[in-house]
Amino acid sequence: AQSVTQLDSQVPVFEEAPVELRCNYSSSVSVYLFWYVQYPNQGLQLLLKYLSGSTLVKGINGFEAEFNKSQTSFHLRKPSVHISDTAEYFCAVRGYGGSQGNLIFGKGTKLSVKP
Amino acid sequence: ETGVTQTPRHLVMGMTNKKSLKCEQHLGHNAMYWYKQSAKKPLELMFVYSLEERVENNSVPSRFSPECPNSSHLFLHLHTLQPEDSALYLCASSPIRGPGGELFFGEGSRLTVL
């Protein structure tokens, strides 16, 4: 089975500052990793995903994440945030095959961008 | 319409009512999911349908009853719910159920049980 830990429940940051949202996972099998974003009163939207290959993954809206297998982490970063990035961000993991193929989510991190 | 559409967006019901949530996807996907999103808790996977067959039921109480009449539609029938069932219910679909399959979510149905 897999599990996901998002270390920060809330992250306040000023506009144009850099941000990192942390995600650690545990799994007994190889995994695929995802970041989703949820804007107020909306469903979840995929930001980026790591399936294989380069450990640095670029997504929409200027976000990127780096897969670190030794540290079992998949932290999300953006060099300069905007007010419109205010949302809740979810890290998710999916193991290989069978019931391990279901997507398991973390509890989410609320990013609040202030002017 | 495109994507995943959920209706109603908001629902208030008493504990003795019977209601249904509807999900429709226009993406040609083969798998559909129900998730429950409660405050301060991770998203909980409730049911998974693959090619209209229920392939997973994560110990969900029987007061929640899913139905998948075809690959484009998914329902969640609700009866004799409890106040703790109040939550945002999210429907999602994916092109494949296997690894790497990205989920596409609807905007959710906000349920309040009085």
Side-chain angles (χ1 to χ4, degrees):
Chain A
Q2 293 79 46
S3 67
V4 178
T5 301
Q6 292 184 243
L7 298 166
D8 305 297
S9 60
Q10 297 188 56
V11 173
V13 64
F14 287 105
E15 192 174 19
E16 298 184 5
V19 70
E20 178 180 83
L21 306 183
R22 296 180 293 169
C23 172
N24 287 89
Y25 69 92
S26 67
S27 176
S28 57
V29 299
S30 295
V31 296
Y32 301 111
L33 293 155
F34 304 79
W35 275 100
Y36 281 82
V37 60
Q38 185 177 31
Y39 298 104
N41 300 314
Q42 294 189 26
L44 278 69
Q45 177 185 0
L46 183 71
L47 267 181
L48 48 79
K49 60 183 175 182
Y50 171 79
L51 303 182
S52 65
S54 172
T55 57
L56 183 63
V57 180
K58 293 188 183 297
I60 61 171
N61 301 340
F63 284 92
E64 63 180 32
E66 186 158 18
F67 170 55
N68 187 319
K69 188 174 182 179
S70 63
Q71 297 187 7
T72 61
S73 68
F74 190 55
H75 300 332
L76 181 70
R77 301 186 186 98
K78 187 171 182 178
S80 176
V81 294
H82 302 288
I83 298 288
S84 59
D85 293 322
T86 295
E88 191 159 17
Y89 293 79
F90 293 90
C91 182
V93 63
R94 181 175 234 167
Y96 289 170
S99 63
Q100 296 179 106
N102 289 323
L103 207 56
I104 306 299
F105 288 86
K107 291 187 177 182
T109 297
K110 291 185 177 179
L111 176 64
S112 175
V113 182
K114 303 177 180 180
Chain B
E1 293 188 30
T2 58
V4 181
T5 304
Q6 290 187 242
T7 55
R9 293 292 312 279
H10 300 273
L11 178 63
V12 179
M13 59 187 289
M15 294 169 62
T16 58
N17 291 157
K18 290 184 179 181
K19 298 286 185 183
S20 296
L21 306 181
K22 178 183 176 183
C23 176
E24 184 173 2
Q25 59 99 358
H26 307 273
L27 301 168
H29 290 166
N30 296 321
M32 296 187 78
Y33 310 75
W34 279 116
Y35 280 87
K36 177 182 178 182
Q37 186 177 29
S38 305
K40 301 181 180 179
K41 294 175 72 175
L43 273 78
E44 301 171 59
L45 179 62
M46 300 175 72
F47 300 105
V48 181
Y49 277 82
S50 179
L51 298 173
E52 303 159 38
E53 178 183 345
R54 190 192 308 180
V55 295
E56 191 143 345
N57 175 346
N58 280 350
S59 303
V60 179
S62 60
R63 55 186 184 270
F64 294 92
S65 174
E67 179 189 2
C68 187
N70 55 61
S71 61
S72 298
H73 294 85
L74 184 65
F75 294 89
L76 188 62
H77 303 300
L78 317 168
H79 62 98
T80 59
L81 295 191
Q82 305 297 313
E84 60 265 29
D85 297 323
S86 298
L88 182 67
Y89 289 85
L90 291 164
C91 174
S93 68
S94 68
I96 53 172
R97 183 170 175 261
E102 172 189 341
L103 295 188
F104 292 76
F105 284 85
E107 295 187 325
S109 293
R110 173 73 62 186
L111 173 66
T112 302
V113 182
L114 302 176

